[in-house]
Amino acid sequence: MDKNEVISGIKSKIEQQFIHESSGHDWWHIYRVWKLAKKIAKSEAVDQYVVELAALLHDIADWKFNDGDDKAGGIAARALMEEYTIDEETIAKVVDIIDHVSYKGAGVHDEMKSLEGQIVQDADRLDAIGAIGIARTFAYGGFKGRPLYDPSIVPVMHHSFEAYKKNVAPTINHFYEKLLLLKDRMNTKTGKKIASQRHEFMLSYLKQFFDEWDSEPQKT
Ligand code: ADP
Ligand code: NI
């Protein structure tokens, strides 16, 4: 099987698996991350195959849906890549990216070493901000049965992944605990540029939200 056939086989598998997902981590999220990662990769000297595989497989078994197990994604991705007899060097690179792609809290450092991984992380994070990011965030909050906003519960800057995982705060808090922090955590020049426009849009959205609520924007 050549590389194009592998990508299109894995794409179909993931599409089938995620088409009915309803927490904002559905097939179309993966599709957007895949497209955007390819676009960012164009202006960087990287292994395009690794970028595409990691983008398609990055949410295959997210910790949020696997009892907090942050190794489940890498394991599931490896199993699928082995079915396609992908070479070990590529598999190891992709698994390493999937193991490190997630946001783990405001006070927890990102440890993405490869440029391929940094590109996939930027694409994933860009889909968490802006108009689509806002939609996904409320979809996730609804999926989890969270209130939109509760003025008595203030956002928290989590200093460990464990604390971040346990969080059950209202959805608006997620903007302060993650989404508004992403623009300063972009890895690539293209990522930074797109993030800054999407960030401004979220700020104006929040201003309108709090105007309508007749309340002050939250402070951390
Ligand atoms: P990452 O890709 O960095 O691991 P996640 O998969 O945790 O990010 O989150 C992806 C998206 O899911 C978020 O950007 C947000 O839209 C939604 N989400 C995740 N956690 C929460 C939360 N606690 N409250 C609201 N939305 C959330
Ligand atoms: Ni994702």
Side-chain angles (χ1 to χ4, degrees):
M1 234 190 252
D2 71 19
K3 288 181 179 177
N4 286 333
E5 286 168 330
V6 171
I7 293 293
S8 96
I10 289 184
K11 172 194 168 277
S12 305
K13 269 238 151 126
I14 295 292
E15 182 173 0
Q16 271 167 30
Q17 188 178 333
F18 285 92
I19 197 77
H20 297 303
E21 212 276 351
S22 57
S23 76
H25 294 74
D26 56 304
W27 159 246
W28 293 110
H29 160 64
I30 297 163
Y31 176 83
R32 290 186 301 268
V33 171
W34 177 44
K35 291 278 172 204
L36 194 49
K38 282 204 276 190
K39 184 175 151 185
I40 300 174
K42 269 194 192 158
S43 41
E44 309 282 343
V46 287
D47 184 340
Q48 179 92 14
Y49 189 45
V50 169
V51 169
E52 289 200 44
L53 287 170
L56 285 171
L57 295 169
H58 83 276
D59 270 338
I60 190 168
D62 193 289
W63 60 265
K64 286 188 294 308
F65 312 109
N66 286 277
D67 293 329
D69 178 2
D70 58 328
K71 288 279 169 267
I75 292 167
R78 167 175 286 281
L80 186 56
M81 286 188 284
E82 283 174 354
E83 275 181 40
Y84 284 84
T85 61
I86 294 174
D87 64 284
E88 175 55 35
E89 196 186 329
T90 301
I91 292 181
K93 285 183 188 165
V94 173
V95 167
D96 190 66
I97 293 172
I98 294 169
D99 282 347
H100 294 104
V101 75
S102 266
Y103 180 82
K104 295 187 169 67
V108 184
H109 265 295
D110 294 319
E111 284 181 48
M112 190 62 89
K113 291 187 198 78
S114 70
L115 186 51
E116 285 82 359
Q118 292 177 358
I119 289 169
V120 174
Q121 189 172 57
D122 277 7
D124 191 27
R125 290 179 172 180
L126 286 168
D127 206 55
I129 61 178
I132 290 176
I134 294 169
R136 291 182 64 219
T137 301
F138 286 103
Y140 184 90
F143 180 80
K144 289 282 188 181
R146 311 250 174 96
L148 303 179
Y149 172 48
D150 178 340
S152 69
I153 306 176
V154 294
V156 174
M157 296 296 105
H158 300 100
H159 285 279
S160 78
F161 188 29
E162 290 311 311
Y164 179 71
K165 277 186 199 179
K166 288 198 194 107
N167 187 20
V168 290
T171 301
I172 279 286
N173 294 31
H174 196 63
F175 286 82
Y176 298 89
E177 292 167 355
K178 173 182 177 188
L179 308 181
L180 293 172
L181 310 177
L182 292 180
K183 86 166 169 41
D184 292 330
R185 293 170 75 146
M186 286 289 139
N187 304 298
T188 64
K189 212 173 145 201
T190 316
K192 285 186 181 120
K193 201 171 148 204
I194 304 173
S196 114
Q197 192 267 338
R198 294 187 186 186
H199 182 87
E200 289 309 310
F201 183 79
M202 282 195 298
L203 289 180
S204 71
Y205 172 80
L206 287 167
K207 183 178 179 310
Q208 176 82 16
F209 184 99
F210 288 108
D211 281 352
E212 291 177 17
W213 198 287
D214 202 15
S215 151
E216 284 296 311
Q218 284 180 306
K219 299 257 177 338
T220 50

